[in-house]
Amino acid sequence: MYDNKRNERFSMDKVAWFTEGGWTGKIPRNHPGMRNDSAWMCVLDATHYPIWNIHEVQEKYDLGIVTLPKNNIDKLSQYPLIESLRKCCDKIAYMQEGPHWYFQDFPLDQQIWHFNTLTEMDWLYVHNASDQKYYEGLVGKECRLMPTLMIEDLTKDLPTVERSNVMMGGNFCSWYGGFDSYMVAQNFECPIYVPTMGRKIENEEHMENLNHLPYMNWLQWITKLNEFKYGIHLMRTHAAGTFALNCAYLGIPCIGYEGLDTQEICHSECTIELGNIVQAKQIAEKLRKDEEFYLYCSNKAKEKYKTFYHEEKFNITI
């Protein structure tokens, strides 16, 4: 439905996207692993290349978008990244990956390399309004919001089920804030579930009333999330906000922190200031006890998703 409108919405026809992924090609709309980054590439009709193979690209592109990895920075800093990008792309842009501060855990020389690399870009794509202010101040480059995105082709016919239980957005580590989410989730007085992610720590499975889902692809995840009544993600690490958006799409009220666009826009009644566990517990109890409030939050989340994040609204400047 949207493929034939692609050139009407975006100013550059040929887009290449470079990440640490080891594959080359385009992402079809029926891809079951349609995570946020895959959805971006799909709707932009971008061709993906491994970041290590940029110097081998023979095609010429209007725009090259690069997602810098969080690992192998020492190796990447020795690679002629900017030179290789300029040879095959008329314009080049950085795509934020994770929170804007993550690079400050690198050794100092790699922090400087990261900063210098951003200054060589024509512009930057970022996740949230707060990230826009950060990068514009830090780098002095134009920053454009890349809204979090879902491709709905494979999720339009999810079964209608009687929802129950609460889903946490992440595991027990500071990155995801799983401990805080777990403590608040108990106020729903129902079984608590959490996905198994790369930062899952030892002994999480021994926490009382906590159930871990197995690793899933994106389609399996959305299908499973559809069975849940509540969402909670007290994650201090602000990035793309896919959990809040997935919940909004399904009409699942999600408790989360301010500073994340998808949370603030889609779940305003369930958004709290950083660290306000008291308020988070109050909202959880209200969602559990007040059906009218629950339905209001559920319907508002779906409405905000359609208004701000539906694919038809995805019209970034590229």
Side-chain angles (χ1 to χ4, degrees), residues 116-252:
N116 288 338
T117 299
L118 300 193
T119 64
E120 294 291 329
M121 299 292 168
D122 293 303
W123 61 81
L124 283 63
Y125 288 117
V126 300
H127 296 312
N128 303 290
S130 58
D131 297 312
Q132 199 171 23
K133 295 175 183 177
Y134 175 83
Y135 280 113
E136 286 181 352
L138 182 72
V139 184
K141 289 283 183 176
E142 179 188 4
C143 293
R144 305 174 181 179
L145 283 172
M146 179 82 80
T148 307
L149 180 66
M150 289 178 58
I151 302 292
E152 302 175 17
D153 291 34
L154 297 180
T155 63
K156 291 178 179 178
D157 298 318
L158 293 176
T160 300
V161 298
E162 183 175 351
R163 291 176 175 169
S164 60
N165 304 327
V166 54
M167 177 67 75
M168 290 168 38
N171 298 121
F172 282 65
C173 59
S174 60
W175 187 275
Y176 290 121
F179 193 94
D180 294 345
S181 295
Y182 173 77
M183 295 302 294
V184 175
Q186 295 180 68
N187 289 264
F188 289 111
E189 297 185 359
C190 62
I192 303 169
Y193 285 75
V194 65
T196 298
M197 309 169 83
R199 285 183 169 83
K200 178 180 179 291
I201 64 172
E202 187 177 1
N203 293 322
E204 272 191 32
E205 61 275 12
H206 299 309
M207 297 297 290
E208 183 179 0
N209 192 30
L210 183 66
N211 306 277
H212 283 80
L213 299 178
Y215 285 101
M216 299 178 174
N217 66 30
W218 182 82
L219 179 58
Q220 292 169 330
W221 159 249
I222 295 296
T223 304
K224 186 65 178 179
L225 184 61
N226 184 51
E227 301 174 5
F228 286 80
K229 188 172 184 178
Y230 313 104
I232 182 165
H233 200 17
L234 299 183
M235 178 177 175
R236 297 170 295 168
T237 307
H238 292 157
T242 54
F243 182 78
L245 189 68
N246 293 164
C247 286
Y249 170 71
L250 296 169
I252 302 171

Side-chain angles (χ1 to χ4, degrees), residues 13-26:
D13 287 335
K14 293 190 67 175
V15 179
W17 202 304
F18 307 94
T19 78
E20 60 185 327
W23 58 280
T24 299
K26 296 186 178 183

